Amino acid sequence: MTPLLELRAVSRSYWRGLHEMRVLDDVSLEVHAGEMVGVYGQRGAGKTTLLRIAAGFESPDGGTVSYAGTDLARCSRRQLARLHREQIGWVERDGPQSGDLPMRTYVALPLYRHHGPVEAQRRAVAALARVGAGEAAELPWASLSDTARALVAIAHALVREPRLLLVDDPTAGLGILDRERVVGLLRSAAQDAGLAVVMAVPDMPAMLQAHEVRALSRGRLLAPADRDARGAVIPFPGSQRSA
Amino acid sequence: MRLSSLLHLYRVRLRARAMQELLAVAGIAVGVGLMFAALVANTSLLGAQRELDVGTQGKARLLVVARGPEGLDERLVPAVRRIDGVAAVSTMLIVPATVAGPTGERSVFLVSGDMRLARNAGVMVRRFTRQVGGTRVVGAHALAMTAPLADALHLDLGSVVRLQAAGHSVDIPLGAELRRSDYGKLVDSPFVLAPPPLAQRVSDMRGRMSRIVVSVRPGRETAVRRALRALAPDANVERADSDAAAFERAAVPITRTTAVFSVFAAFVGFLFAFTAVLLTVPQRRRFIADLRMAGHEPWVTLQLLLFDALVLGVAGSLLGLLSGYLAIRHLIEIVPSILTYAFPIGERVSVRWQSVVTAVAAGLLAACCAVLLPLRGALARGDATAHGRHSGFGPGGGMAALACATLAIAAWLIARAPQATTLSFSLLTASLLLLLPASLRVATGVFEALTRTLRTPVPTLASLELRSRATRTRAVALASTAAIAVYATVGLEGAHADLRRGLLAAATATDANGDVWVTFPGATNALATVPFPVPAGTLAKLRGLPDVSHVSVYRGSFLEVGIYRAWVQAPPGSARTMVAASQILHGDAAMAARRLREGGWVVLSTAIADTLRVRVGDPVTLPTPVPQRLRVAAVSTNLDWPAGAIVLNARDYARAWSRPAPSALLIEVAQGASPAGVAAAVRRALPPRMPALVETRAERIARHVAVARDALARIDQVSALVLIAALAAIVGAIGGVIWQRRPAIARLKVHGYPEHELWRALLLENALLLGTGCGVGAAFGLLGQILFTRGMQTLTDLPEVYVPAGVTAAGILLLMTGVAVAMIALPGWLAVRVRPAPGGAG
Amino acid sequence: MSGLSTRHVVLGLLVERPGYGYDLQQRIDARLGFLGLAESAVYKILERLEAEGWIEETGTRRIGATRRGAPRVMYRATPLGRERFRAWIAAPCERAVLRDELQAKLNVAEPDDLPELLAGAEAQARACLAELATLSRPALASVAEPEVPWRDAATMMVDDFRVRSLQTLVDWLDAICELMEERIRRASRPAPPVPR
């Protein structure tokens, strides 16, 4: 089965003056439908760049990104826009730049292309209610709590009924209960709705919800060690066995 | 995207930025209003005369028109009726007159029609006939007057009116009021109607008529025309709409002058609209980013933007049309009253659909340009998440270089090709706009250098904001508004002053011929074109008065030359000035004056000389009642009269016009005597019932100053309108900008800057911004003035005297900057009272 | 293990409910497996607790077919024992020290060993991820729910600590790797630029 999203040997550098900053170095990743992949990395590790490249917002310096078997580099801008509108949901915590939109309009934005305003708004309100942010429908971004913002961002991505969800740091600033709620929502999107989810978080406990875990460190994406190789590790102090 | 979606998204966004959007709409409205007012002012002028022709002449095909104020013999009528192919004939009398009521006096045209042939005549004469015939003042001794005129003079039906026409003054009852419901727009023209016998008696035209209206059987026009010409060799045979044509000619210089001003005003309006919309760019840019994130292609975004532009454009245009119409009704005088001296027309606004379409289209275009141009970068960018970058008025020396190149070409055109006014004007304006970003950078640099050593953060705060890329578009838009405003007003005011100086110089030269003038009264006779009978012995009586050293006869009237209704001036050979040397364009002024005194020579204005195809020294035969062969002594400006002028000796005039009544008596006062005293003595010496106005030279010059001002009233008004629009545009723009600044101010407050420092920084920053804009605008305005003055001279023949409008420029510069800074003071103070807030975009 | 009082843990289990040696060892293993207590150690602890009077025998019981078929000695906490247990719960806790072999290696390694240390650190990080994968998916939020049995809630909280320890470890490894890499780079360059 071809993975829904496949990054192969992706690399990306930024130039700061004469200094090259290697953000991603030979990164490969496969994500299948129904699977939630967690990418752990501290702030500035390159998680956002990885997601942006996966979404096709940015092009890698080397390597390829395929979505459902199609190389994103070969997609026209029009095709990419269509992907973003219909297939790839992007969850970020920046919210709309037009700070004055009520959330039901913001969430409905991807739908206006094919639906009239009434239908678009109806679906947006439903999406908001599904993620548990129904009360945010009439409010502008500025007056939302961090939790509501995270939920609205997820609703904004889910409203287009995407196949892939790219989630950038959804739990920043959230208390433990809300963090569990938001990550649980993403988990059920993968588990129950069959979406492929890539979630990048600088928070290890959130990783426990993921089916697969990777860590982004110095531009490289680390996979878990093989079980056999575990002998090399000194386990948790005092521990002689696994739970 | 569906229309309903576009509408919905617009509505949702509008809720939060209603203020900004409103300001943009207001900006467009100011622009469109300005444009519409200017366009309508022009078309109304032409519309008025056409109404009148249909009203008085019906659908008659040919006119036999007298060449002079003396008219045609009524006995011609039976002969005309006998011509084969003539279906019907009626006669008309049109003479200048004054009517006086309890509250004043008005100059009007006394119109009278042949009642027996009312069938043939226009609606006005016909209705009048019926009305008068059906009331108790049958056939009689009664006057009909338009209702607005009667109201203005506080006259009721039956009350007595004093009617004065050439030579006579009678008191007659008001027999009918012509109401708007019956006569439509005609009632706005200054008319009175009287039965022919009365009109003829009052105007001293017994047995005479001004014109014969002939309706022709189909296909016989040429034959009838030939027969009419043979029958009345001393009259002009013209098509029925000749009045309108002549009027259009006469109006040409004025329409052209106003057109130049109007086009400019319209352009300024366009730019105001443009800059107003430019202020809303940041908000729109953010929304584009959101749409891109939601996965919409650029063309969907484009749809949305175009919809935005459409809404802005339509709303602004409608408001603009309304405000423009109001401006016309209340601020602009449609028909410059100078034209009413020769044409029986009045004030009326006629709106043509072309004006509406042009103004609305311009409003929409401005909105589209302003919405799309600065966002083309954001639209084209493939990267949807890259936000906050700006592509509007980037820095770039390229733009400044282009600006300099454009300016150089414009300057070259101004110097070398004065006829290419429109082109050089466009180039000049383009270079002004292109140069602004660079000017702002330079001004900011200079400002920073000057304030480097000061120990206050205020200048630093101010220049910080000026240097910020985030607010660049906004800053340039604001500076552009100011620059255009000043540019426009300086250019207009300068050119306007030049024109006024020119007109005044021409007018006063003629006035200097007499220390005391006696003329037929009435405002329409300011040019001394109405001959009035002077009873025998009057001249001798005046010559005998103490302190009178010389009395001479001045003649003058209007003469149809081709399509022009030219002003004929015929000063006596003894006059001090036959024609002002400053007005001579071709030929030797001194020699021309000498030849005019000798007689047999004539000075023609450019348009008349061109119509008659003659040059200096050529023989010419003017189409006077008794055609005379004269020679052209010189070619002059049009001496103030837009349709052209003719100057000849009073003796030559008397020969060429068969009934040479004087149009004015010129009295020279003995040295040391008081002109006012002599004027009083002259008034006493004249017969008591004789309608005559006695003025000293000073009074007459004062009247001409007023006339010159009046001729330019529309330009005055257009230029005032531009000034008002400019102030409105600046105030609107600033209001919008200041309020947008609150989040930035809130962020600065986090660093502990006190309110008064922030306020001062805000004032300083905007003063610098607007000062730079206004300064550049003023400099370009001075160039624009040269362009206008030149352009108008070539277009109109009007006399002009160019004087650089430095003082005007400085005044306007100070006024604009001052008003703008004052406007900032209060909202600025309110804005700096915002709570401190870190980071957030508010 | 000096800081962690296994005596009090065993006492606590008996406060919860009476039990015998093997049963106690099973319960410890289930909840505090990382202690790695053997059954024999449990019997030693029981003896000491009984000697101090904190627990007492309640008799013997034969339970199913157990090893050796020996009867089980049942214990329960005495009132004194309960008192001691409460006092222990309320007393300040000793802080555990995270130890890692890598720390020791760092201390004894030479500069030439840097590449190997780097590789080791990376392997360690990957091992942490692998260990993460072995942990059960927590519903940590359910700790706040009174309906969830306290024992399960306690396990979740203890697991959460393990996850956070892993995060600390991974972050630390990331940091030292970056520093060591930079060190190698600067060492290979004759004239390193000094940005600061």
Side-chain angles (χ1 to χ4, degrees):
Chain A
M1 190 178 120
T2 44
L4 189 64
L5 175 70
E6 183 176 15
L7 278 72
R8 195 170 292 282
V10 163
S11 61
R12 181 83 169 93
S13 297
Y14 292 126
W15 287 88
R16 293 281 174 272
L18 290 173
H19 202 69
E20 182 185 11
M21 289 170 55
R22 192 113 215 196
V23 182
L24 297 179
D25 184 7
D26 192 23
V27 166
S28 296
L29 179 69
E30 288 184 5
V31 189
H32 292 88
E35 184 181 53
M36 174 164 169
V37 174
V39 176
Y40 174 81
Q42 287 175 284
R43 302 224 150 74
K47 299 186 303 294
T48 305
T49 304
L50 177 70
L51 290 179
R52 284 167 58 87
I53 285 176
F57 290 143
E58 236 175 85
S59 304
D61 295 335
T64 56
V65 182
S66 318
Y67 175 83
T70 316
D71 186 352
L72 287 187
R74 285 162 200 262
C75 287
S76 67
R77 272 171 47 198
R78 203 192 168 89
Q79 286 168 316
L80 267 181
R82 194 186 167 88
L83 278 184
H84 294 147
R85 199 173 59 241
E86 294 171 357
Q87 310 241 330
I88 302 178
W90 175 264
V91 181
E92 66 170 359
R93 295 285 303 284
D94 290 351
Q97 291 201 36
S98 321
D100 38 37
L101 292 181
M103 286 305 108
R104 65 188 159 85
T105 308
Y106 169 57
V107 170
L109 274 186
L111 302 180
Y112 282 103
R113 182 70 190 291
H114 294 298
H115 301 284
V118 177
E119 176 64 11
Q121 303 254 318
R122 193 190 61 73
R123 288 177 185 230
V125 171
L128 283 168
R130 254 199 320 278
V131 300
E135 73 284 359
E138 302 301 326
L139 300 174
W141 185 259
S143 60
L144 297 184
S145 67
D146 279 345
T147 314
R149 287 181 181 187
L151 296 174
V152 166
I154 292 172
H156 179 251
L158 286 178
V159 77
R160 63 200 91 192
E161 291 168 8
R163 294 172 64 197
L164 171 65
L165 217 49
L166 298 170
V167 191
D168 190 15
D169 199 359
T171 60
L174 299 194
I176 189 151
L177 289 172
D178 291 326
R179 193 187 65 198
E180 288 283 312
R181 181 173 163 202
V182 167
V183 181
L185 208 59
L186 295 172
R187 166 90 181 192
S188 73
Q191 194 107 315
D192 308 333
L195 273 67
V197 179
V198 181
M199 172 185 70
V201 195
D203 179 34
M204 201 66 97
M207 290 290 123
L208 285 172
Q209 300 279 8
H211 298 102
E212 293 270 341
V213 177
R214 300 284 185 277
L216 200 53
S217 166
R218 295 160 296 129
R220 301 229 295 284
L221 196 60
L222 305 181
D226 296 337
R227 277 175 184 271
D228 313 338
R230 282 197 62 226
V233 185
I234 291 187
F236 189 76
S239 170
Q240 242 92 79
R241 41 160 300 163
S242 66
Chain B
M1 207 179 270
R2 294 181 200 176
L3 186 64
S4 56
S5 296
L6 292 174
L7 191 66
H8 168 77
L9 285 177
Y10 185 84
R11 226 185 49 224
V12 170
R13 287 183 300 138
L14 180 65
R15 223 171 288 152
R17 59 195 172 122
M19 191 62 193
Q20 257 190 53
E21 207 76 348
L22 216 62
L23 287 169
V25 165
I28 296 180
V30 167
V32 171
L34 195 57
M35 192 169 195
F36 183 63
L39 290 174
V40 169
N42 262 6
T43 54
S44 294
L45 191 57
L46 301 181
Q49 179 69 28
R50 297 229 174 258
E51 291 281 347
L52 189 67
D53 278 349
V54 177
T56 52
Q57 291 151 13
K59 294 204 169 85
R61 303 291 296 277
L62 289 175
L63 292 177
V64 181
V65 183
R67 287 181 183 172
E70 296 75 20
L72 299 162
D73 196 318
E74 230 176 2
R75 283 170 298 188
L76 267 174
V77 175
V80 170
R81 199 171 287 129
R82 280 195 297 272
I83 294 173
D84 189 25
V86 169
V89 178
S90 60
T91 57
M92 266 182 74
L93 182 68
I94 301 182
V95 290
T98 62
V99 283
T103 55
E105 192 183 83
R106 287 296 159 95
S107 268
V108 292
F109 282 83
L110 173 60
V111 176
S112 181
D114 180 348
M115 293 188 195
R116 289 164 301 170
L117 296 165
R119 269 176 303 127
N120 185 36
V123 62
M124 186 162 81
V125 180
R126 195 159 63 233
R127 288 203 192 213
F128 173 64
T129 311
R130 196 166 49 207
Q131 205 158 347
V132 172
T135 57
R136 58 196 144 80
V137 284
V138 179
H141 205 70
L143 202 62
M145 190 181 283
T146 60
L149 189 60
D151 289 346
L153 296 175
H154 282 228
L155 288 166
D156 298 317
L157 283 180
S159 53
V160 174
V161 189
R162 167 160 296 184
L163 173 70
Q164 286 190 329
H168 295 278
S169 170
V170 292
D171 293 337
I172 46 171
L174 179 63
E177 280 187 24
L178 314 180
R179 309 224 157 260
R180 195 175 293 272
S181 51
D182 294 334
Y183 296 88
K185 295 162 178 169
L186 273 175
V187 299
D188 293 322
S189 295
F191 272 98
V192 294
L193 296 178
L198 172 66
Q200 286 174 329
R201 189 162 59 78
V202 172
S203 57
D204 207 16
M205 297 266 283
R206 268 176 240 270
R208 301 189 78 80
M209 276 303 192
S210 324
R211 51 182 64 181
I212 300 173
V213 185
V214 180
S215 66
V216 181
R217 291 189 210 288
R220 304 303 302 273
E221 190 179 323
T222 322
V224 171
R225 188 187 279 261
R226 204 179 306 122
L228 285 174
R229 240 181 232 134
L231 207 59
D234 59 343
N236 295 336
V237 178
E238 289 159 359
R239 295 185 63 92
D241 61 355
S242 64
D243 252 7
F247 180 80
E248 274 172 27
R249 280 300 134 188
V252 156
I254 290 199
T255 40
R256 275 201 194 151
T257 338
T258 340
V260 173
F261 279 67
S262 304
V263 166
F264 187 73
F267 191 71
V268 168
F270 179 84
L271 290 172
F272 283 155
F274 183 79
T275 49
V277 179
L278 223 50
L279 291 173
T280 63
V281 160
Q283 168 270 325
R284 218 160 259 115
R285 187 174 279 142
R286 285 194 291 272
F287 191 61
I288 290 183
D290 287 335
L291 286 175
R292 297 299 303 272
M293 281 309 291
H296 291 292
E297 294 97 330
W299 72 268
V300 173
T301 314
L302 190 71
Q303 274 180 356
L304 199 105
L305 289 181
L306 283 177
F307 186 80
D308 268 22
L310 195 72
V311 173
L312 277 180
V314 167
S317 297
L318 290 182
L319 202 63
L321 291 182
L322 185 71
S323 58
Y325 188 75
L326 290 178
I328 290 225
R329 292 311 298 244
H330 301 293
L331 292 176
I332 294 196
E333 191 188 339
I334 296 300
V335 181
S337 47
I338 190 169
L339 285 181
T340 60
Y341 304 166
F343 298 93
I345 55 167
E347 282 268 298
R348 202 175 64 72
V349 177
S350 119
V351 177
R352 293 196 193 170
W353 64 267
Q354 289 96 328
S355 313
V356 176
V357 169
T358 311
V360 171
L364 285 178
L365 184 70
C368 286
C369 290
V371 164
L372 293 181
L373 283 184
L375 299 175
R376 64 198 186 282
L379 276 175
R381 200 179 302 127
D383 179 3
T385 54
H387 21 67
R389 277 189 242 146
H390 289 259
S391 59
F393 291 89
M399 199 185 254
L402 187 64
C404 292
T406 324
L407 182 59
I409 299 173
W412 186 83
L413 277 176
I414 292 172
R416 293 294 166 83
Q419 65 280 7
T421 314
T422 321
L423 180 63
S424 19
F425 169 63
S426 311
L427 286 174
L428 194 64
T429 313
S431 67
L432 163 67
L433 291 178
L434 288 171
L435 205 58
L436 262 184
S439 311
L440 276 180
R441 270 200 304 284
V442 171
T444 313
V446 170
F447 171 75
E448 280 172 350
L450 288 179
T451 55
R452 192 158 292 153
T453 51
L454 294 182
R455 282 179 166 277
T456 153
V458 173
T460 316
L461 287 176
S463 67
L464 205 68
E465 201 55 41
L466 287 173
R467 289 232 175 259
S468 151
R469 281 173 64 77
T471 50
R472 168 144 230 117
T473 313
R474 213 186 282 165
V476 172
L478 199 57
S480 307
T481 311
I484 292 160
V486 174
Y487 168 57
T489 25
V490 167
L492 283 180
E493 282 298 328
H496 180 193
D498 291 347
L499 197 55
R500 185 151 65 208
R501 267 191 290 273
L503 291 185
L504 210 56
T508 47
T510 314
D511 293 337
N513 281 331
D515 295 323
V516 173
W517 286 66
V518 180
T519 53
F520 180 74
T524 50
N525 194 29
L527 300 179
T529 50
V530 180
F532 63 125
V534 178
T538 308
L539 281 180
K541 199 168 162 193
L542 292 179
R543 285 196 183 106
L545 288 175
D547 290 336
V548 171
S549 69
H550 187 77
V551 178
S552 54
V553 168
Y554 170 95
R555 304 181 195 279
S557 62
F558 291 107
L559 177 68
E560 312 279 344
V561 181
I563 48 173
Y564 294 102
R565 186 164 292 177
W567 177 26
V568 183
Q569 297 183 24
S574 58
R576 289 174 192 148
T577 319
M578 294 303 286
V579 60
S582 63
Q583 307 299 318
I584 299 297
L585 298 177
H586 304 290
D588 180 67
M591 188 185 284
R594 204 168 54 242
R595 284 175 166 168
L596 283 178
R597 280 184 216 288
E598 284 164 9
W601 292 78
V602 67
V603 170
L604 305 175
S605 75
T606 316
I608 304 296
D610 288 349
T611 305
L612 297 171
R613 302 219 176 88
V614 289
R615 281 187 291 184
V616 178
D618 289 351
V620 62
T621 305
L622 295 174
T624 52
V626 185
Q628 296 285 315
R629 196 174 167 79
L630 301 163
R631 291 183 73 194
V632 180
V635 173
S636 67
T637 67
N638 62 19
L639 304 180
D640 276 13
W641 176 245
I646 298 170
V647 184
L648 72 170
N649 190 307
R651 268 178 290 124
D652 291 330
Y653 181 97
R655 269 197 295 277
W657 275 260
S658 50
R659 286 186 3 155
S663 297
L665 301 179
L666 304 184
I667 299 163
E668 283 175 47
V669 172
Q671 215 148 28
S674 141
V678 173
V682 167
R683 208 169 284 126
R684 281 192 302 274
L686 292 175
R689 296 284 290 177
M690 175 179 169
L693 176 69
V694 182
E695 300 172 290
T696 62
R697 177 167 53 164
E699 283 166 346
R700 196 162 168 81
I701 288 179
R703 190 139 75 108
H704 273 130
V705 171
V707 168
R709 189 164 289 154
D710 180 76
L712 299 175
R714 264 202 309 164
I715 297 172
D716 245 340
Q717 290 147 357
V718 167
S719 136
L721 210 57
V722 168
L723 190 68
I724 293 170
L727 283 175
I730 288 189
V731 167
I734 286 175
V737 165
I738 295 273
W739 219 240
Q740 285 180 7
R741 284 288 296 284
R742 289 168 75 243
I745 296 172
R747 249 168 278 150
L748 279 175
K749 277 186 137 180
V750 172
H751 303 300
Y753 290 110
E755 281 173 9
H756 66 93
E757 281 185 0
L758 289 170
W759 183 59
R760 271 183 233 150
L762 199 67
L763 286 187
L764 199 58
E765 172 204 330
N766 281 294
L768 193 65
L769 201 63
L770 295 167
T772 309
C774 290
V776 175
F780 275 76
L782 289 177
L783 285 175
Q785 184 205 352
I786 304 178
L787 206 60
F788 274 134
T789 303
R790 276 278 187 70
M792 275 194 298
Q793 192 140 39
T794 34
L795 277 174
T796 62
D797 296 344
L798 285 172
E800 316 221 9
V801 178
Y802 173 71
V803 176
V807 178
T808 318
I812 291 171
L813 179 68
L814 285 179
L815 174 74
M816 288 281 184
T817 318
V819 166
V821 172
M823 289 311 302
I824 303 168
L826 184 65
W829 180 243
L830 292 176
V832 296
R833 290 164 64 90
V834 64
R835 282 172 163 282
Chain C
M1 261 158 286
S2 60
L4 187 62
S5 170
T6 44
R7 283 191 307 156
H8 288 95
V9 170
V10 175
L11 175 63
L13 292 174
L14 291 174
V15 168
E16 187 183 310
R17 60 180 149 88
Y20 52 92
Y22 177 71
D23 162 54
L24 289 169
Q25 195 270 330
Q26 289 294 307
R27 276 155 72 187
I28 288 169
D29 210 27
R31 288 189 219 163
L32 300 141
F34 59 89
L35 288 178
L37 276 187
E39 201 177 337
S40 57
V42 172
Y43 285 116
K44 257 181 222 161
I45 291 169
L46 285 172
E47 276 164 29
R48 274 177 60 195
L49 289 174
E50 193 175 15
E52 290 189 46
W54 293 5
I55 59 172
E56 59 193 4
E57 274 182 44
T58 58
T60 55
R61 181 182 298 182
R62 200 173 259 285
I63 296 166
T66 56
R67 272 182 290 176
R68 298 191 299 268
R72 296 299 186 185
V73 182
M74 295 292 290
Y75 294 94
R76 70 171 179 206
T78 62
L80 175 66
R82 284 173 193 278
E83 200 179 296
R84 292 296 152 130
F85 175 70
R86 298 283 163 229
W88 175 69
I89 290 288
C93 301
E94 295 263 354
R95 200 167 50 83
V97 180
L98 271 175
R99 289 178 314 172
D100 196 293
E101 195 182 4
L102 190 61
Q103 292 168 6
K105 288 180 181 172
L106 284 174
N107 274 324
V108 294
E110 293 293 315
D112 292 345
D113 300 328
L114 270 176
E116 287 72 27
L117 285 173
L118 264 176
E122 193 175 302
Q124 186 79 320
R126 296 180 63 207
C128 288
L129 293 183
E131 188 183 346
L132 189 72
T134 65
L135 292 173
S136 62
R137 200 154 64 80
L140 201 55
S142 60
V143 171
E145 306 286 343
E147 305 87 67
V148 172
W150 169 243
R151 292 296 151 226
D152 299 350
T155 312
M156 286 175 207
M157 288 192 286
V158 173
D159 274 355
D160 191 48
F161 177 74
R162 296 177 62 189
V163 175
R164 284 167 199 267
S165 307
L166 285 173
Q167 176 169 346
T168 309
L169 193 54
V170 169
D171 289 353
W172 174 68
L173 290 167
D174 193 35
I176 62 167
C177 283
E178 188 174 340
L179 292 171
M180 287 191 292
E181 267 183 352
E182 183 67 20
R183 188 185 174 92
I184 293 171
R185 187 158 60 237
R186 290 194 188 177
S188 67
R189 253 191 316 212
V194 183
R196 259 150 284 194

